[in-house]
Each structure stands twice: as C-alpha cells, then as structure tokens.
Amino acid sequence: MDEKPTISEWLIENFYVIHFYMRRGEADPEVAAQLAQEAIARFLAMEKRGVDVERIEPYAFAVAQRVLFDHYRVKGRYRFSEIEDNIPDPRESAEYVHGLRDLLRPEIKKLPRRQRQIIWLRYYDGMSPKEIADELGIGARTVHNMHSLALRRLREALIQQGIEYRRA
C-alpha cells in the first residue's frame, strides 16, 4: 500500500496547481503569486501544528479558496455574495491544470534544452528570471527572451490541439 504523502511532499509536487488556481481567481500575476504563497504558508502551518489531513488536495484547495475570500474581503471590491461568483471551483481548476500538464508535457520535451531549463526553473522550482540568469550564467534579458519564446511555442501547441488560450 502506498504511503500517504505529507503536506510538504504534496506541496513540493503540486505547488504550481495552487499558484494556477490563484491565477484564475486574481488577474494580477504578482498578487496571485503572493496569494499562492499565503495559502501555502497557511497549509504548512497546519502541518507544523500536527493537523492530520486525510485527503490533501481538496483540503489544499479549501485553504486556497479561503485565502482568496480573505483577499477580496480586505480589498472591499465585492460584497461577500459576489465573491463566490469570482472564485473558480477548485475541482475544475485541478482538472484543468492536470489536463494541461498532460497536454504540455510532450510539448515541453520538444523545446530546445535551454528553453526547457528556463520553463522548469521558473514554474517548477519557482525561481525568478534574475535567479535563473544567475543559475544558468546568462543575461536576464536572454532569460526573458527565451522564456517568452518558449511560452509562445507552448501556446501555439495548445491552440493546434484545439485548446483555447486565454490569459487568466
């Protein structure tokens, strides 16, 4: 029988899912990244307190959803009844992210080696463009250009597969 992963292990493997969920709930990418970090911090704090979570993924999305609720409440942009309409359904987001991951995996493998490295470091290791430039020993502008080119290729691949591209 497979051993259930710890919260930390699950987050290491799936942090991008939480980030993508926040990105669907908040249009500003920097704010979405901050909200994802807040959700992850809350989730890890529970692990520190020794809270045992039977099913990690649904619980992680519940925490992320509460972070989004808090964000919208603090901003005062919406009444509480309107908040629920703006926050994506966690199950839909998880299925969407996992589906995209499966579609993108072969496309990422087709990218040139350096572009694959940049995509990996950016989205899987969570490094900033400056950190990537330092890690790879290239200029930050080169990282930016290669990242943009890789994303353009991945978008085109999704469009060719009939997946509608839209900015969150």
Side-chain angles (χ1 to χ4, degrees):
M1 186 168 145
D2 288 338
E3 197 173 307
K4 182 176 82 170
T6 65
I7 291 173
S8 298
E9 292 168 341
W10 186 89
L11 283 172
I12 288 169
E13 185 70 28
N14 296 287
F15 80 94
Y16 67 91
V17 176
I18 300 297
H19 183 265
F20 187 81
Y21 176 74
M22 292 302 187
R23 200 60 186 93
R24 292 189 71 196
E26 172 58 50
D28 183 345
E30 290 182 21
V31 173
Q34 291 171 354
L35 293 173
Q37 289 175 358
E38 171 66 24
I40 289 168
R42 287 186 191 183
F43 206 42
L44 288 173
M46 294 175 54
E47 182 179 46
K48 259 188 175 174
R49 289 192 309 262
V51 175
D52 185 33
V53 178
E54 185 62 35
R55 294 177 53 223
I56 295 174
E57 187 168 335
Y59 200 79
F61 280 112
V63 170
Q65 194 172 42
R66 284 193 299 273
V67 168
L68 276 173
F69 279 147
D70 292 346
H71 169 68
Y72 281 117
R73 261 189 252 142
V74 168
K75 281 180 109 174
R77 292 195 311 195
Y78 302 100
R79 290 187 304 266
F80 188 76
S81 61
E82 295 171 329
I83 293 173
E84 289 180 332
D85 295 336
N86 292 324
I87 300 202
D89 180 0
R91 293 175 303 270
E92 175 190 314
S93 294
E95 290 166 8
Y96 185 73
V97 167
H98 289 295
L100 279 181
R101 181 176 61 181
D102 293 341
L103 288 172
L104 285 173
R105 186 174 288 128
E107 299 304 326
I108 290 172
K109 288 180 182 178
K110 293 178 188 175
L111 292 173
R113 183 181 61 84
R114 190 54 66 117
Q115 289 178 15
R116 276 195 319 269
Q117 286 176 319
I118 290 170
I119 292 296
W120 182 267
L121 293 172
R122 183 77 175 112
Y123 297 105
Y124 292 91
D125 290 347
M127 295 173 78
S128 71
K130 170 114 176 62
E131 292 170 328
I132 295 170
D134 293 342
E135 174 80 17
L136 299 178
I138 59 178
R141 189 74 205 159
T142 303
V143 169
H144 173 75
N145 291 338
M146 294 178 105
H147 178 256
S148 296
L149 182 59
L151 289 182
R152 189 173 324 125
R153 287 180 176 172
L154 294 174
R155 271 188 222 113
E156 289 169 1
L158 286 177
I159 290 169
Q160 286 177 355
Q161 294 180 37
I163 306 293
E164 179 183 332
Y165 167 73
R166 68 172 180 83
R167 286 192 183 222

